[in-house]
Amino acid sequence: MLVLDAAFFRRWMAAMAAAVDREAGSLTDLDSAIGDADHGSNLQRGFAAVAAALDKEPPATPGAVLALAGRQLISTVGGASGPLYGTLLRRTGKALGDDAEVTPGRLAAALGAGVDAVAQLGGAKAGDKTMLDALIPAVRALGESSFGAARSAADEGAVATVPMQARKGRASYLGERSIGHQDPGATSSALLIGTLADTAEADA
Amino acid sequence: MSAGRLVGVVLVSHSASVASSVAELAKGLAGGKESALVAAAGGTPDGGLGTSADLIAEAARSVDAGAGVAVLVDLGSAVLTVKAMLAEGDELPHGARLVDAPFVEGAVAAVVTASAGADLDAVEAAAKEAYDYRKV
């Protein structure tokens, strides 16, 4: 069975930094339709800082990797995605505790705690056209099935935000005009889950 | 209240000039008291629009006299960043609190009350009360 150690989590974060780098332009394009056109560059700056911090002083446990990553996002992003992704990773890391290795089932449960913390922080729920619309189905699929199923669920969740009306954040000021655009946060959340699945499949 | 020590007030806005102007306004309306402990944490470190956890932490430290710190925010990432920092527990001084209040009116009420020596609960109550002053 696949066992996930600190090195696995560092590879995941490095893969996410690379994916955000690659997709920064398209994330910002999505955000310019219904937000303030900074989602790509904000996450690019944040995950570059995460990758640099993890390289400089690699933490020894999965929990510590995610806690450090979360802290970096909160202090470097500058937009709402910083505290939201920062809380997701930090709370997930906290739920993983001090164990040197965790199972995919443990990770699914810990991500569930992280997603709950994001929902509480932002006051959002499923269907509000936010990152939760990709994360909630993805975490459920990871718990019930596999990394690949989580990737598909996250991608489908992101696409499913297109017809939704935004209820949270700047996009909510647009009311019905937010309908017809894919949510940038759900899109970047699908990247986060996608890079997790890539990292796991490369190990398998 | 803690023996003559004043509650600090931190004003967090997406814009550096909004944060510093509201701080100046509040201090002015508090009678220009030199003793008022107010710090602005506006924008990002490179001068852009946004929220900086580092600037917020620095501002909170600068006005922390041991009697608590009231943090007022404008919207979006300012709210979420302060909440996330408080949830972590060690980035803001002990006794720092996010105060739910309108930014400008709440800041004036908080600074006037704090500079008169009120404790953190009273400063928070005064700032929140600003929501009740209807204008029409």
Side-chain angles (χ1 to χ4, degrees):
Chain A
M1 190 175 74
L2 187 62
V3 173
L4 315 170
D5 59 7
F8 172 89
F9 284 84
R10 294 199 300 270
R11 287 197 297 278
W12 173 22
M13 290 296 111
M16 179 60 178
V20 165
D21 229 21
R22 195 181 61 232
E23 301 293 330
S26 61
L27 289 173
T28 290
D29 286 347
L30 290 174
D31 194 30
S32 60
I34 56 173
D36 50 1
D38 61 4
H39 192 55
S41 50
N42 280 350
L43 284 187
Q44 204 173 16
R45 180 170 56 247
F47 278 97
V50 168
L54 292 176
D55 262 355
K56 198 173 157 210
E57 264 181 76
T61 64
V65 170
L66 295 186
L68 177 60
R71 178 179 282 262
Q72 286 297 318
L73 292 176
I74 291 171
S75 71
T76 58
V77 166
S81 55
L84 289 166
Y85 277 107
T87 294
L88 173 68
L89 296 184
R90 211 154 62 168
R91 195 61 63 91
T92 302
K94 204 171 176 181
L96 291 175
D98 296 329
D99 293 348
E101 294 180 336
V102 298
T103 61
R106 273 287 299 289
L107 176 58
L111 278 169
V115 170
D116 287 347
V118 169
Q120 196 190 357
L121 177 65
K125 55 185 189 320
D128 285 346
K129 199 180 184 94
T130 71
M131 55 197 284
L132 294 177
D133 292 310
L135 291 174
I136 291 172
V139 171
R140 190 184 308 130
L142 181 60
E144 291 170 357
S145 174
S146 64
F147 285 102
R151 177 202 284 118
S152 306
D155 288 343
E156 285 160 20
V159 171
T161 62
V162 173
M164 293 176 185
Q165 180 173 336
R167 308 263 174 219
K168 288 286 160 189
R170 186 192 176 283
S172 66
Y173 300 154
L174 296 177
E176 287 180 5
R177 280 177 294 143
S178 64
I179 294 172
H181 301 279
Q182 184 166 322
D183 181 60
T187 308
S188 55
S189 288
L191 280 183
L192 183 70
I193 300 297
T195 52
L196 171 64
D198 294 346
T199 310
E201 286 162 3
D203 269 22
Chain B
M1 62 179 285
S2 354
R5 281 184 265 177
L6 297 183
V7 169
V9 178
V10 172
L11 302 175
V12 183
S13 169
H14 277 58
S15 149
S17 53
V18 167
S20 61
S21 299
V22 173
E24 198 181 312
L25 171 67
K27 275 196 276 195
L29 295 180
K33 284 202 173 69
E34 290 300 317
S35 59
L37 294 173
V38 189
T44 56
D46 60 5
L49 297 180
T51 309
S52 161
D54 293 342
L55 291 180
I56 296 167
E58 192 182 308
R61 276 194 300 273
S62 76
V63 297
D64 176 26
V69 176
V71 184
L72 280 82
V73 298
D74 60 1
L75 48 92
S77 59
V79 185
L80 297 178
T81 300
V82 172
K83 279 188 178 175
M85 291 171 79
L86 288 169
E88 177 68 352
D90 65 352
E91 291 164 337
L92 291 173
H94 178 73
R97 190 185 291 178
L98 175 60
V99 167
D100 182 13
F103 193 64
V104 177
E105 294 88 335
V108 172
V111 172
V112 170
T113 321
S115 60
D119 67 14
L120 183 57
D121 286 342
V123 170
E124 178 179 34
K128 284 170 99 161
E129 214 178 277
Y131 272 133
D132 299 332
Y133 291 124
R134 311 317 311 178
K135 291 167 189 173
V136 287

